[in-house]
Amino acid sequence: MSTVTTSDGTSIFYKDWGPRDAQPIVFHHGWPLSADDWDNQMLFFLAHGYRVIAHDRRGHGRSTQTATGHEMDTYAADVAALTDELDLQGAFHIGHSTGGGEVTRYVARAKPGRVGKAVLVSAVPPIMVKSATNPGGLPIEAFDEMRTALAANRSQFYIDVPTGPFYGFNRPGAKVLQGLIDNWWRQGMAGAANAHYECIKAFSETDFNEDLRKIDVPVLVAHGTDDQIVPYPDSAPLSAKLLKHSTLKSYERLPHGMLSTHPDILNPDILAFLKA
């Protein structure tokens, strides 16, 4: 297993495939998953000549199940430790959902030359929770319900989420892919309950408005209009407006987990953006 050790002693697991002199792409997974959620994309971009890298966020997958650090500043610092260790230059960073928040915070603070482009897919920025300054957000009670369900029976909760809203399998006529449901549960249960519990606050209450304004590299913002986890109107269009160099691509009726349900659509679009 390849790991990097952070300043607080946390071991971050990562995969690193492809030629070391190839253009690197770093993938950032969503909650409560792991680097394994990127298998399809890593194989796709590897076949197109890229060096592909994906890590397990602290408390997720094969990384250390820490007692602390389950917030965006530390997540971004962990990514910085990884990119420093691998000495990545001009890397492309692709983040899904919570991973999109991690990308946003990291890219806004990255050392000069580390980042070439970024892609935010079904991502949580600018901020999810409803407030006076974000009236279109989701009420805090929605996230409290997630915490309650996780604490009561995490295993069942991690069946209910992918069976229902995550992949849009609760929509009439949806083609249910049992393998995706089982793999979501497998990845989720490999991580730590405390990390997943605290990460709900990190992905729902972190304000990324200033991060988005600071980013000066090209960013693709991709989002499905039928996203039941991170609703489209209060996410992608707002992020695209805040970014200096953004491309907004909307996918009609596609779900939150569209990278897994429709990789045949998403992968070529991301490739075209990265090559442009």
Side-chain angles (χ1 to χ4, degrees):
M1 288 175 54
S2 298
T3 61
V4 60
T5 302
T6 68
S7 59
D8 68 351
T10 299
S11 178
I12 301 295
F13 167 85
Y14 67 93
K15 306 176 185 184
D16 185 357
W17 306 342
R20 294 301 179 264
D21 59 350
Q23 169 66 48
I25 302 177
V26 183
F27 296 91
H28 305 245
H29 65 80
W31 173 95
L33 306 174
S34 72
D36 293 352
D37 204 44
W38 291 106
D39 283 353
N40 181 288
Q41 283 71 37
M42 290 184 73
L43 290 172
F44 176 85
F45 286 98
L46 182 67
H48 281 84
Y50 290 90
R51 176 184 179 184
V52 293
I53 301 159
H55 67 290
D56 291 353
R57 190 171 300 118
R58 65 169 56 210
H60 296 64
R62 290 138 292 200
S63 292
T64 303
Q65 297 194 2
T66 58
T68 59
H70 307 297
E71 31 73 24
M72 284 293 165
D73 286 349
T74 303
Y75 294 160
D78 291 347
V79 174
L82 174 62
T83 56
D84 285 350
E85 176 74 13
L86 301 180
D87 193 25
L88 301 182
Q89 301 295 328
F92 299 155
H93 286 262
I94 303 177
H96 175 248
S97 193
T98 299
E102 182 178 274
V103 167
T104 301
R105 180 60 49 94
Y106 166 74
V107 173
R109 301 179 175 188
K111 295 176 182 177
R114 286 284 188 218
V115 181
K117 292 183 180 182
V119 180
L120 307 178
V121 183
S122 309
V124 299
I127 182 171
M128 287 191 70
V129 73
K130 184 177 182 178
S131 67
T133 56
N134 185 42
L138 295 172
I140 189 67
E141 289 79 11
F143 304 107
D144 289 340
E145 288 174 5
M146 293 179 68
R147 282 182 276 262
T148 298
L150 188 156
N153 190 335
R154 184 167 66 125
S155 183
Q156 184 61 49
F157 185 46
Y158 287 3
I159 294 172
D160 295 341
V161 174
T163 301
F166 196 92
Y167 295 118
F169 292 157
N170 56 342
R171 294 306 196 201
K175 180 183 178 181
V176 177
L177 301 173
Q178 189 62 42
L180 287 185
I181 297 170
D182 294 346
N183 194 39
W184 205 99
W185 181 89
R186 177 191 67 85
Q187 292 178 75
M189 293 305 294
N194 69 316
H196 296 169
Y197 188 95
E198 293 183 29
C199 187
I200 294 172
K201 179 180 177 67
F203 73 65
S204 64
E205 297 183 42
T206 302
D207 188 336
F208 296 99
N209 278 273
E210 288 307 312
D211 299 282
L212 292 163
R213 292 188 180 98
K214 290 178 183 177
I215 294 173
D216 57 9
V217 299
V219 181
L220 172 63
V221 182
H223 217 104
T225 62
D226 193 35
D227 191 322
Q228 300 173 68
I229 304 296
V230 184
Y232 177 86
D234 198 56
S235 53
L238 304 184
S239 291
K241 289 180 181 179
L242 291 168
L243 290 159
K244 296 174 184 175
H245 309 288
S246 67
T247 299
L248 174 62
K249 193 161 183 64
S250 306
Y251 294 86
E252 196 67 26
R253 296 188 299 275
L254 290 197
H256 186 67
M258 61 185 181
L259 281 162
S260 298
T261 59
H262 295 82
D264 55 321
I265 297 175
L266 270 294
N267 291 353
D269 285 353
I270 294 172
L271 177 64
F273 171 77
L274 296 182
K275 294 180 71 172

